[in-house]
Amino acid sequence: QVQLQESGPGLVKPSQTLSLTCTVSGFSVYTANYYWSWIRQHPGRGLEWIGYIYYSGITYYKPSLQSLATISLDTSKNQFSLKLASVTAADTAVYYCAGGRSSSWFDYWGQGTLVTVSS
Amino acid sequence: QTVVTQEPSFSVSPGGTVTLTCGLSSGSVSSNYYPSWYQHTPGQAPRTLMYTTDTRSSGVPDRFSGSILGNKAALTITGAQVDDESVYYCLLYMGGGFVLFGGGTKLTVL
């Protein structure tokens, strides 16, 4: 059974870097042709795709977040991570990690973690 | 800027049938957009229902079905149950590695 679990600070100060990790169990993040994504949901809003990393390390980001977001893969720990630089209150959201066989949809989801940006 | 459109809300009676749609602010949705659907109940992980238009994800009952209706992707729930009350999101592949969620449809079953 594939499980994804997000972890990281629940509170980040404005202008700092948000850092989250997704630990995958029951499946290798280095499995060929798999994609690992980050998605967020602002309070009272819908889902927003942030970006993904391919098993080979190639990354794609939502254009409006491309200059601020970095997704990386750690195959030794079977994890992938998100860093979002220069955060503001507008980055307060529940962040989900997800994964799957395609860049076009998601097969597996984490439970989500709330990150609040506040001084 | 292209927006993926969904009905903000929908209501269905238990045992009834409802069709939720997923369109584009400009243009038509086809299978080339690889539409997928997700059920999201607050406080829980989203659940994948459907991908590549009409392929049910593992464990999803066959009362959920996907299709292209006219110029939109559609998710039909036949024999709605109270447990189906949730928010449903569609996702479209826009090309170049970029995907876009719709705003979600809040489904009420009563």
Side-chain angles (χ1 to χ4, degrees):
Chain A
Q1 182 182 0
V2 181
Q3 292 186 318
L4 283 69
Q5 180 65 59
E6 305 87 350
S7 59
L11 181 64
V12 181
K13 288 182 168 49
S15 79
Q16 292 191 340
T17 296
L18 177 159
S19 295
L20 294 174
T21 297
C22 182
T23 300
V24 180
S25 57
F27 199 85
S28 170
V29 297
Y30 197 57
T31 301
N33 303 321
Y34 268 70
Y35 297 77
W36 305 99
S37 299
W38 287 96
I39 294 126
R40 67 182 179 181
Q41 183 176 34
H42 296 101
R45 304 286 297 277
L47 299 172
E48 179 188 23
W49 174 73
I50 297 170
Y52 63 70
I53 187 165
Y54 192 44
Y55 83 104
S56 64
I58 297 172
T59 52
Y60 290 90
Y61 302 99
K62 181 176 182 178
S64 60
L65 295 172
Q66 184 154 8
S67 62
L68 298 172
T70 303
I71 299 175
S72 58
L73 202 60
D74 188 336
T75 56
S76 67
K77 296 181 180 178
N78 216 39
Q79 296 174 334
F80 60 103
S81 299
L82 169 70
K83 292 187 185 299
L84 192 63
S86 305
V87 295
T88 70
D91 295 305
T92 293
V94 175
Y95 286 77
Y96 296 93
C97 59
R101 299 160 283 167
S102 171
S103 59
S104 307
W105 73 85
F106 311 109
D107 291 305
Y108 314 113
W109 291 81
Q111 290 286 336
T113 187
L114 174 63
V115 178
T116 301
V117 179
S118 174
S119 56
Chain B
Q1 183 175 349
T2 300
V3 174
V4 177
T5 61
Q6 294 186 249
E7 300 87 357
S9 62
F10 232 117
S11 183
V12 63
S13 300
T17 297
V18 62
T19 297
L20 313 180
T21 67
C22 174
L24 287 169
S25 55
S26 60
S28 299
V29 177
S30 69
S31 58
N32 293 331
Y33 284 85
Y34 301 96
S36 55
W37 292 89
Y38 305 87
Q39 180 188 56
H40 191 202
T41 303
Q44 298 183 17
R47 174 193 183 195
T48 303
L49 297 175
M50 203 77 56
Y51 57 92
T52 59
T53 306
D54 58 3
T55 303
R56 272 185 295 276
S57 189
S58 177
V60 174
D62 59 8
R63 53 198 184 78
F64 290 89
S65 61
S67 63
I68 299 291
L69 288 180
N71 62 350
K72 296 182 179 182
L75 176 72
T76 299
I77 307 172
T78 305
Q81 300 181 358
V82 174
D83 286 350
D84 296 335
E85 187 160 297
S86 189
V87 181
Y88 292 82
Y89 292 94
C90 70
L91 178 76
L92 299 180
Y93 177 70
M94 307 303 288
F98 176 51
V99 294
L100 196 57
F101 281 101
T105 297
K106 183 173 183 178
L107 179 67
T108 301
V109 182
L110 55 76

